[in-house]
Amino acid sequence: MTEKNYIPGEHPDLPPPSNMIGPVAWIRDNLLSSPANIIMTILSVWFLYIVIPPTLNWFFLDAAFTGEDRNACRAVADGACWAFIGERFKLFTYGFYPEEHRWRVNLSFILLIVALIPVLFDKAPFRSLGLKFSIAFPFIAGWLLVGGLGLEPVPTSQFGGFMLTLVIGITGIAFSLPIGILLALGRQSNLPIIKVFCVSFIEFIRGVPLITLLFVASTMLSYFLPPGTNFDLLLRVLIMVVLFSSGYMAEVIRGGLQAIPKGQIEAADSMGLKYWQSMRLIVLPQALKISIPGIVNTFIGLYKDTTLVIIIGLLDPLGIGRASLSDTKWTGLSTEVYIFVAIFFFVSCFGMSRYSLYLENKLETGHKR
Amino acid sequence: MTENAQSTQATASSENYAVIIRDMHKWYGEFHVLKDVNLNVTKGEKIVICGPSGSGKSTMIRCINALEEHQQGDIIVDGTELTNDLKNIDAVRSEVGMVFQHFNLFPHLTVMENCTLAPIWVRKTPKAEADSLAMEYLERVKIPDQANKYPGQLSGGQQQRVAIARSLCMRPRIMLFDEPTSALDPEMIKEVLDVMIELASEGITMLCVTHEMGFAKTVADRVIFMDGGEIIEENIPDEFFDNPQHDRTKLFLSQILNH
């Protein structure tokens, strides 16, 4: 075929043959590359054909978006009855937070987004100022939500719904990472006291189910504390969740620390960097990068575990859902409730997962060894 | 009186030496790695250390910047004695540069950031000044155009030259090289050796563990042969290569020169 002859050493770069590129090549390579693959492709198309239309019908086309009660829904459509969710939407969002103070929840949510931007994106404008705000945010939000110091106090027993999930989840995430880093470094410490403390803490936390810790927080803690002291149930839960997830976080980060070659620390030492400098500048940036999938995994696990607080009587979205289902006006709509809650969790967790992929790509510096 | 005279003599002589190692022993657990090592390196001297693998040569130079701890004897670097005092160790480390077999560049930082890290954090040099210093040394090792790349994007020889520039940015008085060319492809060894030869002509004290005998002949003031944790023989290069005294030295030289 080829008629051109090139002088050795002067062969130019030629484009690949046309059957290697383009949509046809993609379909052939990915969908129809072998008999088994062809069968799989056909089965998948058939499966999608069976599943997608009824799902769309139930969710949208046959769904009722308005109505007084369940019977009103059923009268117009036999799909989902979203009117129920619509009526309870505020309950799902704010729990029993007093109506006239809900602006504080909304403001906290907006501030949360403002605080997240400099943490998540290193090209955000005014980043160094933003990061200071991000560090202050948990305390500002705590003040806004709980009240005191000029704001009318709201008892934390009125917290509920998605707002409660976010409070527990974000507190857990924000505090478990730094504590986990310290525990992981402590576990590798040369100082026996620190090492023994960290190892026993981590092993204790990993050996005990979260539910047990939550029970301890809700009931048993009052036996250990001096009589008359009564500190907030939500605060106790937050402490337990933070401790629990930092134990797991520590082990994830330890995996990353162990992947850093000893030569990195030797190079840092040989230049005269001190321990904390070489940890902060050399070891942790690399170890945390390696640990991103595990860290995000722990975050997602923690975030979903917040639903366990239902067991000690806090009303997270699942708790609100269950309470709503006992309303006789809306009996039998559990599918809608649980799908709605599932969508909320899926969106949050999928977001975290995508962000972690973005971060891994960004931090890739071509040094795979 | 005599004691007094001796101590003045000791300080006077220690001023001329960059490194003094006196009766130094080191153990790894039960294993006696370094046995009674004595070595005086005058300022500006270039020393090449060779020997079979496991002879303790790397361990010895790693003791000089306290990457390894010695258990007996004294090591005095540039007038500072290495003890358990972290202040002394930090002082010595900021004066002693080290180049490793596997480069040990920081993969998450650019070449430039690798070079400016220690000046900024250890010497508290302002960033702009550290940047221009780094550029000066990157030019010296002939890779200023790679300054904004990451180490993973460079060839082995380029990485090792960055590592040399990174050490030089601390303006060390003593440079330790731990088999700097052993992990390189043959065609990259020369570019690294050229940089080291140029560096040697500038009066810096160098201790270099290497098997590059051509480099030793060109540059070294003294060649040291180690085996089994002891210094077996030391001499000026011509004598060392042409007229080795000890049987083990002869065997070693015949093995590395005739393959």
Side-chain angles (χ1 to χ4, degrees), chain B residues 18-21 39-42 44-49 57 60-62 64 77 96-99 173-180 196 199 204-210 215 219-220 222 224 231:
Chain B
V19 180
I20 299 171
I21 300 177
L39 179 67
N40 291 337
V41 184
T42 50
E45 198 177 7
K46 327 290 173 221
I47 290 189
V48 162
I49 302 150
K57 50 198 189 318
M60 187 188 77
I61 72 162
R62 287 158 60 87
I64 295 174
V77 182
V96 178
M98 183 157 199
V99 174
R173 275 174 260 185
I174 302 165
M175 282 290 283
L176 308 174
F177 292 85
D178 187 2
E179 307 206 26
M196 290 169 62
L199 189 65
I204 198 167
T205 310
M206 284 170 69
L207 282 93
C208 185
V209 174
T210 185
F215 173 77
V219 166
R222 207 163 15 136
I224 287 174
I231 295 182

mmCIF file of all heavy atoms in Angstrom, chain B residues 18-21 39-42 44-49 57 60-62 64 77 96-99 173-180 196 199 204-210 215 219-220 222 224 231:
data_model
loop_
_atom_site.group_PDB
_atom_site.id
_atom_site.type_symbol
_atom_site.label_atom_id
_atom_site.label_comp_id
_atom_site.label_asym_id
_atom_site.label_seq_id
_atom_site.Cartn_x
_atom_site.Cartn_y
_atom_site.Cartn_z
ATOM 1 N N ALA B 18 37.158 20.663 58.187
ATOM 2 C CA ALA B 18 35.717 20.757 57.962
ATOM 3 C C ALA B 18 35.005 19.664 58.751
ATOM 4 O O ALA B 18 33.962 19.886 59.346
ATOM 5 C CB ALA B 18 35.413 20.607 56.472
ATOM 6 N N VAL B 19 35.605 18.466 58.740
ATOM 7 C CA VAL B 19 35.003 17.350 59.459
ATOM 8 C C VAL B 19 36.099 16.630 60.223
ATOM 9 O O VAL B 19 37.172 16.368 59.674
ATOM 10 C CB VAL B 19 34.337 16.348 58.490
ATOM 11 C CG1 VAL B 19 33.707 15.195 59.260
ATOM 12 C CG2 VAL B 19 33.303 17.024 57.606
ATOM 13 N N ILE B 20 35.819 16.341 61.489
ATOM 14 C CA ILE B 20 36.726 15.498 62.268
ATOM 15 C C ILE B 20 35.905 14.319 62.790
ATOM 16 O O ILE B 20 34.878 14.515 63.456
ATOM 17 C CB ILE B 20 37.328 16.263 63.458
ATOM 18 C CG1 ILE B 20 38.132 17.463 62.951
ATOM 19 C CG2 ILE B 20 38.211 15.347 64.290
ATOM 20 C CD1 ILE B 20 38.580 18.383 64.052
ATOM 21 N N ILE B 21 36.327 13.121 62.436
ATOM 22 C CA ILE B 21 35.685 11.931 63.001
ATOM 23 C C ILE B 21 36.744 11.219 63.818
ATOM 24 O O ILE B 21 37.816 10.917 63.307
ATOM 25 C CB ILE B 21 35.145 11.005 61.893
ATOM 26 C CG1 ILE B 21 34.114 11.753 61.031
ATOM 27 C CG2 ILE B 21 34.516 9.754 62.494
ATOM 28 C CD1 ILE B 21 33.579 10.938 59.886
ATOM 29 N N LEU B 39 38.760 10.032 60.760
ATOM 30 C CA LEU B 39 38.910 10.729 59.480
ATOM 31 C C LEU B 39 38.940 12.229 59.739
ATOM 32 O O LEU B 39 38.074 12.765 60.416
ATOM 33 C CB LEU B 39 37.723 10.372 58.568
ATOM 34 C CG LEU B 39 37.678 11.028 57.193
ATOM 35 C CD1 LEU B 39 38.819 10.534 56.331
ATOM 36 C CD2 LEU B 39 36.350 10.737 56.505
ATOM 37 N N ASN B 40 39.981 12.884 59.227
ATOM 38 C CA ASN B 40 40.011 14.338 59.298
ATOM 39 C C ASN B 40 39.942 14.896 57.891
ATOM 40 O O ASN B 40 40.739 14.513 57.035
ATOM 41 C CB ASN B 40 41.301 14.829 59.959
ATOM 42 C CG ASN B 40 41.323 14.482 61.436
ATOM 43 O OD1 ASN B 40 40.270 14.272 62.041
ATOM 44 N ND2 ASN B 40 42.516 14.400 61.998
ATOM 45 N N VAL B 41 38.989 15.761 57.656
ATOM 46 C CA VAL B 41 38.843 16.347 56.327
ATOM 47 C C VAL B 41 39.158 17.827 56.441
ATOM 48 O O VAL B 41 38.498 18.548 57.189
ATOM 49 C CB VAL B 41 37.399 16.173 55.806
ATOM 50 C CG1 VAL B 41 37.284 16.697 54.392
ATOM 51 C CG2 VAL B 41 36.976 14.722 55.879
ATOM 52 N N THR B 42 40.193 18.271 55.731
ATOM 53 C CA THR B 42 40.510 19.699 55.803
ATOM 54 C C THR B 42 39.530 20.483 54.956
ATOM 55 O O THR B 42 38.879 19.953 54.078
ATOM 56 C CB THR B 42 41.939 19.982 55.300
ATOM 57 O OG1 THR B 42 42.085 19.339 54.046
ATOM 58 C CG2 THR B 42 42.980 19.471 56.259
ATOM 59 N N GLY B 44 37.877 22.440 52.190
ATOM 60 C CA GLY B 44 38.107 22.487 50.743
ATOM 61 C C GLY B 44 38.590 21.179 50.166
ATOM 62 O O GLY B 44 38.767 21.061 48.949
ATOM 63 N N GLU B 45 38.785 20.182 51.012
ATOM 64 C CA GLU B 45 39.304 18.913 50.503
ATOM 65 C C GLU B 45 38.200 18.129 49.784
ATOM 66 O O GLU B 45 37.026 18.195 50.161
ATOM 67 C CB GLU B 45 39.847 18.073 51.665
ATOM 68 C CG GLU B 45 40.767 16.961 51.210
ATOM 69 C CD GLU B 45 41.371 16.177 52.387
ATOM 70 O OE1 GLU B 45 40.960 16.411 53.551
ATOM 71 O OE2 GLU B 45 42.236 15.344 52.140
ATOM 72 N N LYS B 46 38.578 17.393 48.717
ATOM 73 C CA LYS B 46 37.620 16.516 48.029
ATOM 74 C C LYS B 46 38.009 15.083 48.338
ATOM 75 O O LYS B 46 39.139 14.675 48.050
ATOM 76 C CB LYS B 46 37.666 16.685 46.502
ATOM 77 C CG LYS B 46 37.994 18.072 46.013
ATOM 78 C CD LYS B 46 36.879 19.043 46.271
ATOM 79 C CE LYS B 46 37.361 20.453 45.905
ATOM 80 N NZ LYS B 46 36.925 21.478 46.850
ATOM 81 N N ILE B 47 37.069 14.353 48.909
ATOM 82 C CA ILE B 47 37.365 12.988 49.299
ATOM 83 C C ILE B 47 36.401 12.050 48.598
ATOM 84 O O ILE B 47 35.185 12.310 48.559
ATOM 85 C CB ILE B 47 37.250 12.836 50.824
ATOM 86 C CG1 ILE B 47 38.413 13.603 51.456
ATOM 87 C CG2 ILE B 47 37.270 11.378 51.245
ATOM 88 C CD1 ILE B 47 38.576 13.378 52.899
ATOM 89 N N VAL B 48 36.951 10.998 48.008
ATOM 90 C CA VAL B 48 36.093 9.982 47.412
ATOM 91 C C VAL B 48 36.183 8.738 48.278
ATOM 92 O O VAL B 48 37.280 8.320 48.673
ATOM 93 C CB VAL B 48 36.507 9.669 45.965
ATOM 94 C CG1 VAL B 48 35.919 8.342 45.513
ATOM 95 C CG2 VAL B 48 36.038 10.781 45.035
ATOM 96 N N ILE B 49 35.011 8.182 48.619
ATOM 97 C CA ILE B 49 34.965 6.990 49.459
ATOM 98 C C ILE B 49 34.429 5.852 48.612
ATOM 99 O O ILE B 49 33.372 5.994 47.993
ATOM 100 C CB ILE B 49 34.053 7.224 50.673
ATOM 101 C CG1 ILE B 49 34.570 8.432 51.473
ATOM 102 C CG2 ILE B 49 33.990 5.983 51.549
ATOM 103 C CD1 ILE B 49 33.503 9.173 52.190
ATOM 104 N N LYS B 57 30.181 2.649 53.942
ATOM 105 C CA LYS B 57 30.593 3.960 53.427
ATOM 106 C C LYS B 57 29.436 4.970 53.445
ATOM 107 O O LYS B 57 29.610 6.102 53.882
ATOM 108 C CB LYS B 57 31.216 3.848 52.030
ATOM 109 C CG LYS B 57 30.419 3.069 51.022
ATOM 110 C CD LYS B 57 31.300 2.653 49.862
ATOM 111 C CE LYS B 57 30.523 2.048 48.706
ATOM 112 N NZ LYS B 57 29.442 1.111 49.044
ATOM 113 N N MET B 60 28.662 5.932 56.981
ATOM 114 C CA MET B 60 29.622 6.886 57.547
ATOM 115 C C MET B 60 29.270 8.311 57.143
ATOM 116 O O MET B 60 29.226 9.197 57.993
ATOM 117 C CB MET B 60 31.041 6.554 57.114
ATOM 118 C CG MET B 60 32.044 7.427 57.830
ATOM 119 S SD MET B 60 33.696 7.234 57.180
ATOM 120 C CE MET B 60 33.622 8.181 55.692
ATOM 121 N N ILE B 61 29.017 8.534 55.832
ATOM 122 C CA ILE B 61 28.755 9.944 55.501
ATOM 123 C C ILE B 61 27.384 10.387 56.017
ATOM 124 O O ILE B 61 27.185 11.564 56.293
ATOM 125 C CB ILE B 61 28.941 10.286 53.998
ATOM 126 C CG1 ILE B 61 27.854 9.723 53.130
ATOM 127 C CG2 ILE B 61 30.318 9.934 53.484
ATOM 128 C CD1 ILE B 61 27.839 10.430 51.780
ATOM 129 N N ARG B 62 26.460 9.430 56.203
ATOM 130 C CA ARG B 62 25.172 9.814 56.778
ATOM 131 C C ARG B 62 25.294 10.172 58.266
ATOM 132 O O ARG B 62 24.423 10.851 58.812
ATOM 133 C CB ARG B 62 24.144 8.708 56.579
ATOM 134 C CG ARG B 62 23.684 8.609 55.109
ATOM 135 C CD ARG B 62 23.118 7.245 54.804
ATOM 136 N NE ARG B 62 21.968 6.950 55.640
ATOM 137 C CZ ARG B 62 20.730 7.290 55.324
ATOM 138 N NH1 ARG B 62 20.483 7.922 54.206
ATOM 139 N NH2 ARG B 62 19.736 6.995 56.113
ATOM 140 N N ILE B 64 27.649 12.055 59.285
ATOM 141 C CA ILE B 64 28.192 13.416 59.329
ATOM 142 C C ILE B 64 27.081 14.455 59.423
ATOM 143 O O ILE B 64 27.260 15.506 60.021
ATOM 144 C CB ILE B 64 29.106 13.655 58.095
ATOM 145 C CG1 ILE B 64 30.322 12.736 58.188
ATOM 146 C CG2 ILE B 64 29.537 15.110 58.002
ATOM 147 C CD1 ILE B 64 31.206 12.764 56.971
ATOM 148 N N VAL B 77 31.722 18.743 63.099
ATOM 149 C CA VAL B 77 31.513 19.259 61.752
ATOM 150 C C VAL B 77 31.581 20.772 61.797
ATOM 151 O O VAL B 77 30.770 21.405 62.479
ATOM 152 C CB VAL B 77 30.142 18.810 61.202
ATOM 153 C CG1 VAL B 77 29.963 19.318 59.780
ATOM 154 C CG2 VAL B 77 30.014 17.307 61.243
ATOM 155 N N VAL B 96 25.516 21.629 55.928
ATOM 156 C CA VAL B 96 25.977 20.469 55.177
ATOM 157 C C VAL B 96 24.908 20.080 54.160
ATOM 158 O O VAL B 96 23.768 19.803 54.521
ATOM 159 C CB VAL B 96 26.238 19.279 56.130
ATOM 160 C CG1 VAL B 96 26.673 18.060 55.339
ATOM 161 C CG2 VAL B 96 27.288 19.647 57.154
ATOM 162 N N GLY B 97 25.261 20.100 52.883
ATOM 163 C CA GLY B 97 24.300 19.689 51.858
ATOM 164 C C GLY B 97 24.454 18.211 51.576
ATOM 165 O O GLY B 97 25.535 17.658 51.736
ATOM 166 N N MET B 98 23.352 17.568 51.164
ATOM 167 C CA MET B 98 23.471 16.148 50.862
ATOM 168 C C MET B 98 22.722 15.817 49.577
ATOM 169 O O MET B 98 21.616 16.290 49.342
ATOM 170 C CB MET B 98 22.919 15.304 51.996
ATOM 171 C CG MET B 98 23.108 13.818 51.743
ATOM 172 S SD MET B 98 23.093 12.911 53.283
ATOM 173 C CE MET B 98 23.878 11.400 52.797
ATOM 174 N N VAL B 99 23.367 14.981 48.754
ATOM 175 C CA VAL B 99 22.758 14.522 47.509
ATOM 176 C C VAL B 99 22.628 13.003 47.610
ATOM 177 O O VAL B 99 23.600 12.329 47.968
ATOM 178 C CB VAL B 99 23.613 14.928 46.296
ATOM 179 C CG1 VAL B 99 23.052 14.324 45.020
ATOM 180 C CG2 VAL B 99 23.672 16.443 46.187
ATOM 181 N N ARG B 173 28.798 24.633 53.337
ATOM 182 C CA ARG B 173 30.253 24.633 53.247
ATOM 183 C C ARG B 173 30.788 23.244 52.957
ATOM 184 O O ARG B 173 31.931 23.080 52.559
ATOM 185 C CB ARG B 173 30.855 25.178 54.541
ATOM 186 C CG ARG B 173 30.907 26.704 54.499
ATOM 187 C CD ARG B 173 31.364 27.251 55.805
ATOM 188 N NE ARG B 173 30.186 27.710 56.550
ATOM 189 C CZ ARG B 173 30.273 28.335 57.713
ATOM 190 N NH1 ARG B 173 31.437 28.541 58.271
ATOM 191 N NH2 ARG B 173 29.184 28.735 58.318
ATOM 192 N N ILE B 174 29.926 22.241 53.222
ATOM 193 C CA ILE B 174 30.335 20.857 53.001
ATOM 194 C C ILE B 174 29.234 20.178 52.180
ATOM 195 O O ILE B 174 28.047 20.381 52.456
ATOM 196 C CB ILE B 174 30.494 20.122 54.347
ATOM 197 C CG1 ILE B 174 31.519 20.849 55.217
ATOM 198 C CG2 ILE B 174 30.875 18.665 54.134
ATOM 199 C CD1 ILE B 174 31.490 20.435 56.659
ATOM 200 N N MET B 175 29.628 19.417 51.179
ATOM 201 C CA MET B 175 28.633 18.663 50.416
ATOM 202 C C MET B 175 28.906 17.173 50.561
ATOM 203 O O MET B 175 30.040 16.717 50.394
ATOM 204 C CB MET B 175 28.704 19.027 48.926
ATOM 205 C CG MET B 175 28.043 20.343 48.560
ATOM 206 S SD MET B 175 26.238 20.294 48.679
ATOM 207 C CE MET B 175 25.812 19.406 47.198
ATOM 208 N N LEU B 176 27.840 16.417 50.861
ATOM 209 C CA LEU B 176 27.954 14.964 50.929
ATOM 210 C C LEU B 176 27.228 14.373 49.731
ATOM 211 O O LEU B 176 26.098 14.755 49.439
ATOM 212 C CB LEU B 176 27.299 14.450 52.219
ATOM 213 C CG LEU B 176 27.756 15.105 53.515
ATOM 214 C CD1 LEU B 176 26.917 14.584 54.675
ATOM 215 C CD2 LEU B 176 29.224 14.847 53.768
ATOM 216 N N PHE B 177 27.886 13.474 49.029
ATOM 217 C CA PHE B 177 27.239 12.814 47.893
ATOM 218 C C PHE B 177 27.181 11.322 48.191
ATOM 219 O O PHE B 177 28.210 10.683 48.387
ATOM 220 C CB PHE B 177 28.041 13.031 46.607
ATOM 221 C CG PHE B 177 28.033 14.449 46.117
ATOM 222 C CD1 PHE B 177 28.948 15.376 46.615
ATOM 223 C CD2 PHE B 177 27.121 14.861 45.161
ATOM 224 C CE1 PHE B 177 28.941 16.683 46.166
ATOM 225 C CE2 PHE B 177 27.111 16.163 44.703
ATOM 226 C CZ PHE B 177 28.030 17.086 45.200
ATOM 227 N N ASP B 178 25.955 10.767 48.215
ATOM 228 C CA ASP B 178 25.812 9.349 48.523
ATOM 229 C C ASP B 178 25.467 8.601 47.242
ATOM 230 O O ASP B 178 24.304 8.512 46.868
ATOM 231 C CB ASP B 178 24.714 9.174 49.584
ATOM 232 C CG ASP B 178 24.629 7.747 50.079
ATOM 233 O OD1 ASP B 178 25.437 6.914 49.631
ATOM 234 O OD2 ASP B 178 23.744 7.468 50.901
ATOM 235 N N GLU B 179 26.453 8.085 46.554
ATOM 236 C CA GLU B 179 26.282 7.387 45.278
ATOM 237 C C GLU B 179 25.382 8.153 44.312
ATOM 238 O O GLU B 179 24.357 7.647 43.873
ATOM 239 C CB GLU B 179 25.713 5.981 45.512
ATOM 240 C CG GLU B 179 26.533 5.199 46.509
ATOM 241 C CD GLU B 179 26.416 3.702 46.310
ATOM 242 O OE1 GLU B 179 26.135 3.288 45.173
ATOM 243 O OE2 GLU B 179 26.633 2.960 47.279
ATOM 244 N N PRO B 180 25.772 9.379 43.968
ATOM 245 C CA PRO B 180 24.870 10.240 43.191
ATOM 246 C C PRO B 180 24.586 9.741 41.784
ATOM 247 O O PRO B 180 23.607 10.168 41.180
ATOM 248 C CB PRO B 180 25.619 11.573 43.139
ATOM 249 C CG PRO B 180 27.049 11.214 43.323
ATOM 250 C CD PRO B 180 27.049 10.045 44.254
ATOM 251 N N MET B 196 29.402 18.053 39.091
ATOM 252 C CA MET B 196 30.161 17.832 40.331
ATOM 253 C C MET B 196 31.615 18.272 40.179
ATOM 254 O O MET B 196 32.208 18.807 41.115
ATOM 255 C CB MET B 196 30.086 16.357 40.730
ATOM 256 C CG MET B 196 28.693 15.961 41.213
ATOM 257 S SD MET B 196 28.492 14.185 41.389
ATOM 258 C CE MET B 196 29.704 13.840 42.636
ATOM 259 N N LEU B 199 31.734 21.934 40.429
ATOM 260 C CA LEU B 199 31.540 22.315 41.824
ATOM 261 C C LEU B 199 32.834 22.140 42.610
ATOM 262 O O LEU B 199 33.200 22.978 43.448
ATOM 263 C CB LEU B 199 30.438 21.432 42.414
ATOM 264 C CG LEU B 199 29.909 21.780 43.779
ATOM 265 C CD1 LEU B 199 29.224 23.132 43.723
ATOM 266 C CD2 LEU B 199 28.923 20.725 44.231
ATOM 267 N N ILE B 204 34.603 24.133 47.607
ATOM 268 C CA ILE B 204 33.707 23.574 48.611
ATOM 269 C C ILE B 204 34.281 22.236 49.083
ATOM 270 O O ILE B 204 34.973 21.550 48.331
ATOM 271 C CB ILE B 204 32.296 23.414 47.991
ATOM 272 C CG1 ILE B 204 31.241 23.258 49.081
ATOM 273 C CG2 ILE B 204 32.235 22.237 47.046
ATOM 274 C CD1 ILE B 204 29.842 23.426 48.541
ATOM 275 N N THR B 205 34.040 21.882 50.337
ATOM 276 C CA THR B 205 34.491 20.577 50.839
ATOM 277 C C THR B 205 33.541 19.507 50.337
ATOM 278 O O THR B 205 32.323 19.679 50.441
ATOM 279 C CB THR B 205 34.471 20.572 52.378
ATOM 280 O OG1 THR B 205 35.160 21.730 52.845
ATOM 281 C CG2 THR B 205 35.129 19.326 52.931
ATOM 282 N N MET B 206 34.097 18.435 49.768
ATOM 283 C CA MET B 206 33.210 17.399 49.236
ATOM 284 C C MET B 206 33.590 16.025 49.766
ATOM 285 O O MET B 206 34.760 15.669 49.767
ATOM 286 C CB MET B 206 33.284 17.358 47.698
ATOM 287 C CG MET B 206 32.528 18.475 47.019
ATOM 288 S SD MET B 206 32.864 18.589 45.238
ATOM 289 C CE MET B 206 32.109 17.133 44.615
ATOM 290 N N LEU B 207 32.579 15.272 50.210
ATOM 291 C CA LEU B 207 32.783 13.861 50.522
ATOM 292 C C LEU B 207 31.839 13.079 49.627
ATOM 293 O O LEU B 207 30.634 13.304 49.665
ATOM 294 C CB LEU B 207 32.467 13.551 51.983
ATOM 295 C CG LEU B 207 33.533 13.947 52.996
ATOM 296 C CD1 LEU B 207 33.250 15.319 53.532
ATOM 297 C CD2 LEU B 207 33.575 12.936 54.109
ATOM 298 N N CYS B 208 32.414 12.199 48.820
ATOM 299 C CA CYS B 208 31.593 11.585 47.790
ATOM 300 C C CYS B 208 31.759 10.068 47.803
ATOM 301 O O CYS B 208 32.851 9.562 47.604
ATOM 302 C CB CYS B 208 32.023 12.169 46.444
ATOM 303 S SG CYS B 208 31.011 11.605 45.107
ATOM 304 N N VAL B 209 30.641 9.380 48.074
ATOM 305 C CA VAL B 209 30.662 7.922 47.951
ATOM 306 C C VAL B 209 30.335 7.613 46.502
ATOM 307 O O VAL B 209 29.271 7.987 46.016
ATOM 308 C CB VAL B 209 29.597 7.284 48.863
ATOM 309 C CG1 VAL B 209 29.522 5.786 48.607
ATOM 310 C CG2 VAL B 209 29.909 7.564 50.317
ATOM 311 N N THR B 210 31.245 7.006 45.786
ATOM 312 C CA THR B 210 30.974 6.729 44.381
ATOM 313 C C THR B 210 31.864 5.609 43.875
ATOM 314 O O THR B 210 32.902 5.294 44.468
ATOM 315 C CB THR B 210 31.176 7.981 43.506
ATOM 316 O OG1 THR B 210 30.787 7.678 42.178
ATOM 317 C CG2 THR B 210 32.622 8.433 43.497
ATOM 318 N N PHE B 215 36.071 9.894 37.936
ATOM 319 C CA PHE B 215 35.781 11.085 38.732
ATOM 320 C C PHE B 215 36.786 11.191 39.882
ATOM 321 O O PHE B 215 37.342 12.263 40.146
ATOM 322 C CB PHE B 215 34.346 10.996 39.256
ATOM 323 C CG PHE B 215 33.983 12.071 40.232
ATOM 324 C CD1 PHE B 215 33.692 13.349 39.799
ATOM 325 C CD2 PHE B 215 33.925 11.800 41.597
ATOM 326 C CE1 PHE B 215 33.351 14.343 40.695
ATOM 327 C CE2 PHE B 215 33.585 12.793 42.501
ATOM 328 C CZ PHE B 215 33.305 14.067 42.046
ATOM 329 N N VAL B 219 39.194 14.458 40.373
ATOM 330 C CA VAL B 219 38.775 15.447 41.357
ATOM 331 C C VAL B 219 39.374 15.225 42.748
ATOM 332 O O VAL B 219 39.722 16.178 43.441
ATOM 333 C CB VAL B 219 37.230 15.455 41.448
ATOM 334 C CG1 VAL B 219 36.761 16.189 42.666
ATOM 335 C CG2 VAL B 219 36.646 16.065 40.187
ATOM 336 N N ALA B 220 39.510 13.943 43.145
ATOM 337 C CA ALA B 220 39.770 13.688 44.568
ATOM 338 C C ALA B 220 41.161 14.126 44.998
ATOM 339 O O ALA B 220 42.132 14.021 44.249
ATOM 340 C CB ALA B 220 39.580 12.209 44.860
ATOM 341 N N ARG B 222 41.961 12.809 47.966
ATOM 342 C CA ARG B 222 42.239 11.613 48.721
ATOM 343 C C ARG B 222 41.154 10.581 48.417
ATOM 344 O O ARG B 222 39.995 10.954 48.260
ATOM 345 C CB ARG B 222 42.190 11.945 50.207
ATOM 346 C CG ARG B 222 43.046 11.049 51.033
ATOM 347 C CD ARG B 222 43.362 11.567 52.433
ATOM 348 N NE ARG B 222 42.603 12.663 52.983
ATOM 349 C CZ ARG B 222 42.154 12.671 54.253
ATOM 350 N NH1 ARG B 222 42.350 11.632 55.044
ATOM 351 N NH2 ARG B 222 41.503 13.716 54.719
ATOM 352 N N ILE B 224 39.418 7.038 49.833
ATOM 353 C CA ILE B 224 39.332 6.210 51.037
ATOM 354 C C ILE B 224 38.658 4.911 50.662
ATOM 355 O O ILE B 224 37.625 4.916 49.969
ATOM 356 C CB ILE B 224 38.540 6.946 52.126
ATOM 357 C CG1 ILE B 224 39.408 8.065 52.680
ATOM 358 C CG2 ILE B 224 38.097 6.005 53.225
ATOM 359 C CD1 ILE B 224 38.698 8.943 53.632
ATOM 360 N N ILE B 231 37.948 1.744 57.813
ATOM 361 C CA ILE B 231 38.735 2.361 56.750
ATOM 362 C C ILE B 231 39.983 1.500 56.573
ATOM 363 O O ILE B 231 40.807 1.374 57.479
ATOM 364 C CB ILE B 231 39.115 3.806 57.100
ATOM 365 C CG1 ILE B 231 37.839 4.651 57.171
ATOM 366 C CG2 ILE B 231 40.088 4.377 56.088
ATOM 367 C CD1 ILE B 231 38.065 6.105 57.469
#
